[in-house]
Amino acid sequence: MTEKKLLLTGNEAAVLGAIAAGAKIMFGYPITPATEILQGWIGKADKSDELQYLQTEDEIAAGFGVLGAVLAGEIAFTASAGPGHVLLQDPLSMAENLRLPFVGIMMQRGGPSTGTVNFSQQEVNLAAFGGNGDGIRLVYSASSVLEMYTLTQEAFQMAWRYRFPTILLGDGYLGKMKTVVELPADRADVKAEPILKEVSESTNIRNCYSSEADLAEVLQKNLADWNHARKSLVLSESYELDGAETVIVAHGLVASAAKDAVSILRKSGVKIGLFRPITLHPFDTEVLKKAVAKAKKVMIFESSLNQLARIVKYELADQKVNYEEVSKPAEGFTAAEIIKAVKGK
Amino acid sequence: MENIAPISWKKSSKPHLFCPGCGHGIVLKQLGYAFDEMKIARDVTFGIDIGCSLLAWNFFDADTIQTHHGRTTSVMVGYKMAKPERIALAYMGDGGGYAIGLQALLHAAYRNNPVTVILVNNENYAMTGGQSSPTTPVGMVTSTSPNGKRAEFGKGLHGPELISEIAAPNAYIARVSISNPIQLKITLKKAIENQVKNKVFSFVEVLSICPTNWKTNAKESFEILREAEKLYPIKEFTKEKEVEK
Ligand SMILES: Cc1ncc(C[n+]2csc(CCOP(=O)(O)OP(=O)(O)O)c2C)c(N)n1
Ligand code: SF4
């Protein structure tokens, strides 16, 4: 397959990924560092008869606009960050309960309202467990510009295949980072169809339940589908895990720094490897379990306070693990820093 | 004729669950007749809010989506973008439209999105047990205005007046009352026709009654409704705009 070489930012790659996946409508409200996704999409849509957009009055309208469009069978999405991601929990909760293929690309940022827009992984809890539901959502974390392209497609593909709301997380800086990437020619084949079916037997979808039993039936089914799909959904990268005595767990941009650190440390004979969850939710627990079985130490690096660590510890609850957590909320990591931490200096 | 249930009503969901004497029943009946007369039930996608309107989630033999409180307008705007050939209706209460969902409603009107919003104004938050709403008149006793609504909390939000200020001249905007079912039906038809023919925004506020929370019998309910009709004038706002031009 021929590949296309392009100089792209993560945000530009996300736009191309959405188009490659067949997305037709974007709804959005500007927020750094995700704004370029909206701008990039509008740039493409203005030159296309197929692509539509709506710059809404807020993220709530954007998220519910996405739900309206997907109910009609259109592949649609939004992109946001931080406080916008908070507002999107309202439509996400509806999507979670009604199993609507909502797709949101969230470029994480630090600070409650405005603040830093570079390194943050503080929206992991929000993405995976936010909203008034149980967290039946699919969450990806991209660690390179290329993955902003490939995982955007994966997000649409899985959202429509399994009908779970899906979030692609990027560390804010990833949206701005510009690199040469070779875009694979393979594209997602997303099969979308109207959820409000327009057939003679009308489709009546409700969001309210008259009894606990009624609601429980829906929730149990959603949970069963989630557990069933888990195996097909989980994605992770294992790097130098063979014989690793120290296993680093990191995602997003932190993982890309950790990968460099591992490669340098390996050259000097340190038995170390990296487990990088690509789906944060569900989590590729089986692979990590194997990796930690013989390890002496698991080091978790993240640009947030224990948000990844809590997931890891829950997933590995039945394992004896010696943990070391290196949390730097809303700050980035360099490979050198990680090497220092590994060496205990 | 008007005593026969509309054909577009879904038989399996009747008798409906609204309280006896509730205004929603009257609105949904006239809306059903409008669907029948226009032969559009198959072409309608009905979006309903949270509030007593939620009881209508399977009311019609028409595709229906129940959304979150105040979010119906946004859902139908998104839906209509994806399906311009369908008729997108958003049905809500005064809380859903004028409080939590006002921003979405105003912006849909401002952009002239081709959806039709039907807002049933019963001057209170009925579903949650009769709290004060933006349209509750001064002096009315509700569970959050136990001594009568104070003027400092607002003298009653006039939705169509507000919306017509920012809506495009070809948007159809009207206020009607359930006290005149024929006019109600005609108005609903006009609002829907405006979406179909002109592909623009339309809005109908329907003054309604809530005997349960008002704790009124039929006669008293209509007395309150008559007062509401004085506070909130029954008229079409679109024409006025055109005359102004
Ligand atoms: C975000 C949110 N806030 C509050 C509620 C609780 N709630 C449900 S219905 C309702 C008020 C409904 O009033 P209105 O929209 O006027 O409709 P009515 O019941 O009077 O027909 C409220 C506040 C909710 N469901 N969601
Ligand atoms: S509470 Fe009021 S608005 Fe709700 S169904 Fe009963 S009468 Fe109708």
Side-chain angles (χ1 to χ4, degrees):
Chain A
M1 285 272 165
T2 50
E3 300 194 343
K4 251 205 292 194
K5 244 189 198 174
L6 292 170
L7 180 65
L8 292 176
T9 64
N11 284 339
E12 288 165 345
V15 171
L16 295 181
I19 292 170
K24 293 287 184 288
I25 314 182
M26 176 176 184
F27 298 83
Y29 188 87
I31 185 166
T32 312
T35 307
E36 290 85 0
I37 301 177
L38 179 62
Q39 288 171 179
W41 178 270
I42 292 174
K44 300 278 183 199
D46 274 347
K47 289 186 220 127
S48 155
D49 294 334
E50 277 210 315
L51 308 181
Q52 297 190 74
Y53 62 89
L54 186 65
Q55 183 180 329
T56 52
E57 56 277 18
D58 56 27
E59 288 84 352
I60 297 173
F64 282 99
V66 170
L67 297 188
V70 301
L71 282 159
E74 201 75 283
I75 305 174
F77 74 109
T78 188
S80 191
H85 189 183
V86 171
L87 294 180
L88 284 163
Q89 293 305 317
D90 190 1
L92 268 161
S93 294
M94 174 162 152
E96 190 175 318
N97 195 266
L98 297 184
R99 301 287 296 277
L100 303 177
F102 170 101
V103 171
I105 302 170
M106 311 295 175
M107 306 308 290
Q108 301 165 94
R109 50 184 261 169
S113 174
T114 186
T116 65
V117 291
N118 288 337
F119 299 101
S120 175
Q121 299 185 324
Q122 290 176 298
E123 293 169 43
V124 171
N125 286 345
L126 197 55
F129 309 110
N132 47 328
D134 291 313
I136 310 279
R137 303 120 174 244
L138 186 47
V139 181
Y140 294 90
S141 174
S143 92
S144 66
V145 173
L146 176 62
E147 273 191 351
M148 287 300 294
Y149 178 76
T150 55
L151 291 180
T152 294
Q153 292 186 62
E154 182 85 4
F156 283 107
Q157 177 109 42
M158 294 307 163
W160 279 93
R161 185 176 297 166
Y162 294 100
R163 301 284 168 91
F164 298 122
T166 301
I167 293 168
L168 171 61
L169 288 177
D171 307 36
Y173 185 66
L174 185 53
K176 310 262 181 194
M177 218 164 96
K178 204 163 192 162
T179 52
V180 174
V181 283
E182 293 189 15
L183 301 185
D186 295 341
R187 291 177 169 207
D189 178 22
V190 183
K191 295 207 164 48
E193 55 178 16
I195 295 167
L196 289 168
K197 294 194 168 63
E198 304 162 43
V199 294
S200 62
E201 174 91 352
S202 64
T203 315
N204 301 141
I205 300 177
R206 69 168 163 168
N207 208 331
C208 62
Y209 303 89
S210 33
S211 72
E212 284 173 15
D214 275 4
L215 176 58
E217 195 185 311
V218 173
L219 296 178
Q220 291 305 332
K221 165 147 198 326
N222 290 351
L223 186 62
D225 290 350
W226 174 255
N227 286 331
H228 186 74
R230 250 188 118 91
K231 267 210 172 85
S232 320
L233 292 171
V234 288
L235 289 176
S236 67
E237 181 189 357
S238 298
Y239 180 68
E240 299 279 15
L241 283 174
D242 282 347
E245 289 176 357
T246 300
V247 172
I248 293 181
V249 183
H251 71 101
L253 279 187
V254 181
S256 80
K259 197 169 179 178
D260 292 345
V262 166
S263 124
I264 294 166
L265 286 164
R266 275 280 177 180
K267 277 180 200 136
S268 61
V270 182
K271 290 182 178 152
I272 188 163
L274 167 71
F275 172 82
R276 174 171 75 93
I278 297 171
T279 51
L280 296 176
H281 201 233
F283 198 84
D284 200 354
T285 311
E286 293 316 308
V287 171
L288 181 57
K289 270 188 185 173
K290 275 186 210 130
V292 304
K294 289 190 188 125
K296 291 186 181 146
K297 188 157 88 173
V298 170
M299 295 186 79
I300 305 168
F301 289 87
E302 58 182 308
S303 298
S304 52
L305 183 65
N306 304 337
Q307 297 198 22
L308 172 65
R310 256 184 241 137
I311 297 177
V312 172
K313 287 178 166 179
Y314 178 81
E315 296 296 326
L316 298 184
D318 59 355
Q319 310 286 304
K320 267 214 182 89
V321 181
N322 175 21
Y323 289 108
E324 191 175 326
E325 290 170 43
V326 188
S327 289
K328 276 179 44 180
E331 286 187 83
F333 284 88
T334 60
E337 252 179 296
I338 294 172
I339 292 170
K340 236 173 140 180
V342 169
K343 291 184 171 163
K345 279 187 233 157
Chain B
M1 161 68 193
E2 299 286 289
N3 285 324
I4 302 165
I7 300 159
S8 48
W9 275 17
K10 193 171 193 154
K11 309 279 172 304
S12 58
S13 64
K14 306 296 173 298
H16 62 66
L17 300 170
F18 292 97
C19 304
C22 173
H24 277 288
I26 298 171
V27 181
L28 294 167
K29 192 170 204 175
Q30 296 311 316
L31 186 59
Y33 290 139
F35 290 173
D36 292 355
E37 289 171 21
M38 297 171 82
K39 299 193 173 53
I40 55 166
R42 287 273 158 266
D43 308 318
V44 163
T45 296
F46 194 46
I48 58 173
D49 214 71
I50 295 299
C52 284
S53 57
L54 67 79
L55 297 170
W57 73 272
N58 58 354
F59 205 92
F60 291 106
D61 206 359
D63 280 2
T64 305
I65 175 69
Q66 181 178 64
T67 79
H68 281 189
H69 190 33
R71 313 309 180 206
T72 311
T73 307
S74 302
V75 170
M76 297 323 290
V77 165
Y79 181 85
K80 182 77 180 184
M81 280 176 75
K83 285 272 174 198
E85 70 282 9
R86 300 277 298 172
I87 299 167
L89 302 188
Y91 186 84
M92 63 197 63
D94 43 293
Y98 294 155
I100 194 164
L102 181 63
Q103 177 143 313
L105 178 56
L106 282 181
H107 282 270
Y110 172 61
R111 291 183 301 247
N112 214 8
N113 289 132
V115 298
T116 300
V117 178
I118 301 162
L119 185 148
V120 179
N121 176 5
N122 56 16
E123 302 187 323
N124 79 104
Y125 287 18
M127 184 86 220
T128 38
Q131 292 79 27
S132 182
S133 88
T135 55
T136 302
V138 172
M140 188 184 255
V141 172
T142 72
S143 68
T144 52
S145 57
N147 300 308
K149 181 170 169 187
R150 294 196 225 156
E152 69 201 71
F153 295 137
K155 293 179 183 157
L157 193 141
H158 285 57
E161 287 83 349
L162 173 66
I163 292 166
S164 63
E165 277 298 314
I166 54 155
N170 61 359
Y172 178 79
I173 295 159
R175 183 186 287 115
V176 281
S177 167
I178 59 156
S179 67
N180 187 343
I182 301 293
Q183 188 188 25
L184 168 58
K185 182 184 73 186
I186 292 168
T187 306
L188 292 171
K189 283 171 76 172
K190 277 189 185 175
I192 295 169
E193 255 161 34
N194 200 42
Q195 176 184 162
V196 175
K197 290 217 178 96
N198 303 327
K199 313 217 175 327
V200 293
F201 181 79
S202 39
F203 178 77
V204 179
E205 176 186 306
V206 187
L207 295 178
S208 186
I209 55 174
C210 175
T212 300
N213 287 303
W214 291 355
K215 301 179 184 68
T216 45
N217 61 29
K219 186 169 164 282
E220 292 160 346
S221 296
F222 278 86
E223 277 163 17
I224 295 178
L225 183 62
R226 217 150 305 150
E227 286 306 307
E229 288 169 7
K230 287 184 205 154
L231 177 62
Y232 300 113
I234 304 301
K235 62 182 201 176
E236 288 181 339
F237 292 80
T238 319
K239 270 197 191 126
E240 190 181 69
K241 265 205 119 133
E242 277 166 4
V243 168
E244 271 172 19
K245 278 200 303 178

